[in-house]
Amino acid sequence: MVTIESIIIGIVFILIQLYALTIVERSPIGEKKLLSLSGGVAIAYVFIYILPTLHKKQEEFGGSLALDTELYFLGLLGLLVYFSVYSFAQTKAATHLTELTVYMVQASFFMVYSFIISYVVFSTDVKRVESVFYGLAISLHFIEWSYHLGKKHPRLHKTRGRYMLAGATFLGSILGVFGPSSGLLIESMIAFSSGAMLFNVISKELPFEKHAHLPTFLISSLIYAATMISLKAFFNW
């Protein structure tokens, strides 16, 4: 069932993919604080929501699967895949390729990533207050990595990449609303995206010293985590 919350969140996700560079560069709180805010919320989201969700899904499927670690393995696979993509962009081999080739490799993987996360978000039964907090975390996460991708390849990102990412996000959102919301395939998508998100957050969203505003990072992380814990306890999410 499509809700007003789903429609708003979907529109926000797509706008972020289209205008992440502009959002960060024109932020009233400044680039450094916005990226630190994004990193703080994202790391709290990973530890307060992503990891417990992955554990819960593994417990649900553990009895019917051969081992108790299948979904964790898929999470590891997601982390390794996206580590490989980042590593490829930094290798000497990549320097001998055209900028378009290097960018398209990264953008293609992020299209898959955007599709999976959007599908997972819209296929789960998350509404009202819960959707606001989950949507906020994912929105900031999208801003962060889309900005970094666009910052390194501004021309390609503005002319084609951002539209590819927005299209993948839109497709994931639509299929998430009308597609299946449970089953091994969906849990596998959650696990894979969890590993990828872990890598993206730790490698790209934990602010480096010269780019960090430490108070913003720490405060946003603690406030988001405390709020999520309180709301999960109160609403039994």
Side-chain angles (χ1 to χ4, degrees):
M1 179 179 178
V2 180
T3 64
I4 186 63
E5 294 93 342
S6 298
I7 294 174
I8 293 173
I9 290 174
I11 292 173
V12 169
F13 283 179
I14 292 169
L15 290 175
I16 284 172
Q17 298 289 24
L18 290 173
Y19 301 109
L21 280 171
T22 302
I23 291 171
V24 175
E25 291 171 354
R26 298 185 181 180
S27 168
I29 64 174
E31 177 181 332
K32 185 181 293 186
K33 286 186 177 180
L34 179 58
L35 295 179
S36 294
L37 171 67
S38 171
V41 170
I43 198 66
Y45 178 75
V46 165
F47 280 94
I48 302 302
Y49 179 71
I50 291 295
L51 294 181
T53 298
L54 187 58
H55 177 70
K56 179 180 179 182
K57 297 301 181 183
Q58 180 61 64
E59 284 190 329
E60 291 175 356
F61 280 90
S64 58
L65 299 180
L67 302 172
D68 293 326
T69 56
E70 290 87 351
L71 295 185
Y72 291 112
F73 174 75
L74 288 174
L76 172 64
L77 187 62
L79 186 151
L80 294 177
V81 166
Y82 283 92
F83 172 74
S84 300
V85 173
Y86 279 118
S87 296
F88 164 77
Q90 306 301 323
T91 60
K92 291 183 179 180
T95 61
H96 298 296
L97 300 173
T98 64
E99 181 186 4
L100 176 61
T101 301
V102 175
Y103 177 80
M104 288 303 294
V105 169
Q106 297 180 80
S108 297
F109 276 98
F110 275 116
M111 285 176 64
V112 176
Y113 184 55
S114 298
F115 172 85
I116 291 176
I117 289 184
S118 299
Y119 187 99
V120 169
V121 168
F122 284 88
S123 66
T124 53
D125 187 22
V126 177
K127 298 179 178 66
R128 301 189 182 279
V129 177
E130 191 176 3
S131 67
V132 171
F133 280 89
Y134 293 168
L136 172 64
I138 297 299
S139 296
L140 289 172
H141 180 60
F142 277 178
I143 287 175
E144 179 83 23
W145 63 254
S146 187
Y147 168 77
H148 283 298
L149 182 62
K151 189 74 171 177
K152 194 169 184 179
H153 306 279
R155 181 182 61 82
L156 291 172
H157 191 75
K158 290 179 179 178
T159 56
R160 65 177 72 184
R162 60 180 180 151
Y163 300 109
M164 294 163 57
L165 295 173
T169 302
F170 175 74
L171 182 61
S173 302
I174 294 297
L175 293 181
V177 171
F178 299 103
S181 59
S182 61
L184 184 57
L185 177 61
I186 307 304
E187 314 310 340
S188 298
M189 291 171 67
I190 292 175
F192 184 84
S193 63
S194 297
M197 182 175 288
L198 257 175
F199 172 77
N200 285 321
V201 168
I202 293 175
S203 67
K204 294 296 180 182
E205 296 186 43
L206 287 181
F208 296 106
E209 182 179 353
K210 65 178 181 178
H211 300 300
H213 189 267
L214 187 58
T216 301
F217 175 76
L218 295 177
I219 292 171
S220 62
S221 179
L222 292 174
I223 289 178
Y224 186 86
T227 304
M228 283 295 297
I229 291 172
S230 300
L231 291 174
K232 286 176 72 174
F234 184 80
F235 290 105
N236 194 30
W237 290 347

